[in-house]
Amino acid sequence: MTLHIPFDNSYARLPDRFHVRQAPVPVAAPGPIAVNAALARALGLDPEALTGAEGVAMVAGNWLPEGAEPLAQAYAGHQFGGFNPQLGDGRAILLGEVVAPADSPLAGGRFDLQLKGSGPTPFSRRGDGRAWLGPVLREWIVSEAMAALNVPTTRALAAATTGEQVWREQGPLPGAVLLRVAASHIRVGTFQFFRARNDTEALRLLTDHVIARHYPGAEGPMALLAAVVDRQARLIAQWMALGFIHGVMNTDNMAVSGETIDYGPCAFMDDYHPETVFSSIDQFGRYAWANQPQIGVWNLAQLATCLLPLIGGEPAAAVEEATAVVHGFAEIYQAEWLALFGAKIGLSAATEADRPLIEDLLTRMAGGQADFTRTFRALLEGKARDEFLDPAAFDAWEAGWQARLAQEPGGIDGAKAAMARANPAIIARNHRVEEAIAAAVEGDFAPFHALNAALAAPFDAAPDSPYRAAPWPEQRVLRTFCGT
Ligand code: AMP
Ligand code: MG
């Protein structure tokens, strides 16, 4: 079966300094892991062909379909606040872009097809250009879970094993490659790459490219900045409402499209605490759950800095306006936070007056070691008090909540129906992700597939689904690793 991909590669048409032409490096023995058939169809690709020998060979990097123009993208970035003027795709290759067909749910959208773990590039620095199976499966599981939760995100289209070993701290591990789909892989760090080089012409081309691709209504760099601020504020509010911690919000890991990108040491919290950090390399908690909105603003300020040379008029006025646009994040974020958390407790139109009620619940949850996901879901099932170390702490909150719910236009039943759509029963819990990875390393992919199937319908899980359970103390995962 021939794999045909109707590539149309707009990024490859940008000037040479945007990328390095680089083919994926072939591997010893490609083997199939999975194909996301629904996503393939939505992109106008044949899932059967992707599953076939050519598809597996393409994902592994051993075969290039016609029309692919493989390249590594150049970018820079602030990593944990320190600027690195040159990062770039050190272990990823953009194969090209496809436009989703007219009869697709993604109709008209343009999407990158990118291999991750496909071998060294000129940007690899000391890295081997590879990925091991663990991070490939983790990214698959979590990014697809986010998509099912209606969070903007990159997607997993296919994955393959390489038949090669990858050396990490843990020792030799099985290698794998992920075929990832994104609205684009253009990052805040892509702008920073050219800003660091004073390359205003490239900044202008990049800005035009991003506007045409992601924000066709935006007229000029200031409008682009406002549009990115808006999308990021909404995205991060969604992360917060799900107890999601990205883990490495470096500017090279913030997509200007507003999609969640680069799933490394990311995790969903079990017990709620605002200072929760999982990433083993995040020593000072820079990317803790509660810090994410602030970091979003910090990153967007870097984007603003990059766009300033393109903004005409009086420089001081441009700085002032760009600053105001970046600070506009707070208002959008706060409104979105209120709407999302309000919905979680059954409020159809939460107002500022409701904020203390929500914050009080969160404070009690933190004090009571209540599981984030289970507590919110249990609210609609009348069992939330069981999630608290001291159930009386919940009881003391509940009376005020019931009084507020009584004012809801749809009554308690309406509120419960809305809560069932706002509070997932199933999230990609760390211990389940680790369990799926451990089994896969032993050659058993059944737990990986079972977990993905459960995560595909996060809101309507049966009450007795084993994926709803919080980890036992001995199952609890406290650290996630970047050793990807
Ligand atoms: P990340 O922390 O995964 O977002 O990656 C930051 C930078 O390190 C990017 O430029 C990556 O391409 C690069 N990188 C990460 N892992 C590897 C690896 N195994 N080999 C080469 N480059 C890598
Ligand atoms: Mg990255």
Side-chain angles (χ1 to χ4, degrees):
M1 191 165 308
T2 314
L3 176 57
H4 173 71
I5 300 183
F7 282 110
D8 175 41
N9 308 326
S10 67
Y11 196 89
R13 292 192 284 270
L14 289 166
D16 284 348
R17 56 202 196 279
F18 282 72
H19 44 65
V20 174
R21 308 276 170 184
Q22 169 74 53
V25 179
V27 302
I33 295 177
V35 167
N36 186 338
L39 179 58
R41 277 190 288 271
L43 293 169
L45 309 181
D46 176 7
E48 305 264 317
L50 261 181
T51 311
E54 274 180 2
V56 175
M58 176 184 77
V59 177
N62 287 30
W63 179 78
L64 279 173
E66 201 185 317
E69 293 176 84
L71 57 84
Q73 291 179 304
Y75 54 86
H78 277 94
Q79 300 179 301
F80 290 90
F83 187 61
N84 188 331
Q86 174 142 346
L87 294 167
D89 288 334
R91 49 139 167 204
I93 293 291
L94 179 62
L95 291 176
E97 300 155 31
V98 291
V99 175
D103 59 352
S104 155
L106 303 172
R110 171 181 292 275
F111 295 94
D112 278 4
L113 300 186
Q114 191 208 56
L115 299 180
K116 188 169 173 184
S118 47
T121 77
F123 300 119
S124 297
R125 294 169 289 155
R126 286 185 300 275
D128 58 4
R130 295 296 179 188
W132 75 275
L133 185 58
V136 166
L137 298 187
R138 171 176 280 274
E139 176 154 346
W140 183 301
I141 294 164
V142 185
S143 66
E144 287 303 304
M146 292 290 261
L149 291 163
N150 305 313
V151 180
T153 177
T154 63
R155 304 285 306 267
L157 178 56
T161 50
T162 62
E164 295 177 358
Q165 288 187 332
V166 175
W167 287 82
R168 295 289 181 267
E169 281 158 57
Q170 306 94 307
L173 296 159
V177 185
L178 178 68
L179 173 52
R180 173 162 89 174
V181 174
S184 83
H185 286 82
I186 299 169
R187 305 137 192 277
V188 170
T190 315
F191 284 83
Q192 290 181 291
F193 180 85
F194 296 114
R195 182 72 186 88
R197 286 158 181 78
N198 256 317
D199 189 343
T200 308
E201 191 203 42
L203 282 172
R204 204 177 302 281
L205 290 169
L206 181 61
T207 299
D208 291 347
H209 179 88
V210 168
I211 288 175
R213 202 161 164 182
H214 300 303
Y215 303 98
E219 287 179 18
M222 196 69 86
L224 170 63
L225 179 64
V228 179
V229 166
D230 185 81
R231 289 239 187 123
Q232 284 293 338
R234 292 172 197 282
L235 175 69
I236 294 172
Q238 277 192 289
W239 293 355
M240 302 303 277
L242 290 166
F244 177 77
I245 303 163
H246 181 283
V248 220
M249 290 177 70
N250 294 336
T251 56
D252 52 301
N253 293 336
M254 183 183 258
V256 293
S257 67
E259 289 183 335
T260 312
I261 192 173
D262 276 6
Y263 292 85
C266 60
F268 290 86
M269 273 191 269
D270 295 306
D271 286 359
Y272 170 69
H273 198 285
E275 284 158 30
T276 305
V277 174
F278 285 96
S279 170
S280 60
I281 59 168
D282 192 356
Q283 270 184 51
F284 306 112
R286 179 180 171 93
Y287 301 138
W289 179 80
N291 286 357
Q292 297 184 117
Q294 268 171 268
I295 293 292
V297 174
W298 195 93
N299 288 351
L300 291 162
Q302 308 313 313
L303 178 62
T305 304
C306 297
L307 292 171
L308 282 176
L310 306 183
I311 296 168
E314 182 63 37
V319 170
E320 201 171 316
E321 194 186 342
T323 304
V325 169
V326 172
H327 287 174
F329 181 102
E331 195 177 323
I332 302 163
Y333 171 80
Q334 292 298 352
E336 201 60 21
W337 186 97
L338 199 52
L340 293 174
F341 275 88
K344 288 178 85 69
I345 64 165
L347 309 185
S348 52
T351 68
E352 280 303 325
D354 296 312
R355 192 182 287 276
L357 183 68
I358 301 167
E359 285 176 346
D360 185 27
L361 174 62
L362 288 170
T363 303
R364 290 166 190 272
M365 284 168 62
Q369 294 175 26
D371 183 276
F372 186 89
T373 302
R374 288 180 60 85
T375 301
F376 281 107
R377 185 74 187 192
L379 280 178
L380 76 120
E381 291 159 357
K383 294 184 175 138
R385 70 190 307 275
D386 300 347
E387 300 297 326
F388 290 74
L389 270 187
D390 172 13
F394 174 78
D395 298 340
W397 177 82
E398 193 183 16
W401 175 51
Q402 293 291 352
R404 175 62 182 83
L405 272 192
Q407 302 163 12
E408 276 299 301
I412 302 270
D413 288 343
K416 286 196 170 165
M419 285 163 73
R421 292 189 299 271
N423 296 308
I426 296 187
I427 49 147
R429 288 186 189 268
N430 258 321
H431 69 294
R432 289 295 191 176
V433 175
E434 299 289 339
E435 176 186 84
I437 292 170
V441 169
E442 299 301 320
D444 176 12
F445 285 80
F448 167 70
H449 292 298
L451 178 56
N452 286 329
L455 290 167
F459 294 104
D460 50 29
D464 57 351
S465 164
Y467 295 101
R468 294 186 60 162
W472 297 109
E474 65 274 19
Q475 290 177 314
R476 214 169 267 166
V477 176
L478 298 176
R479 283 280 164 271
T480 50
F481 294 91
C482 234
T484 54

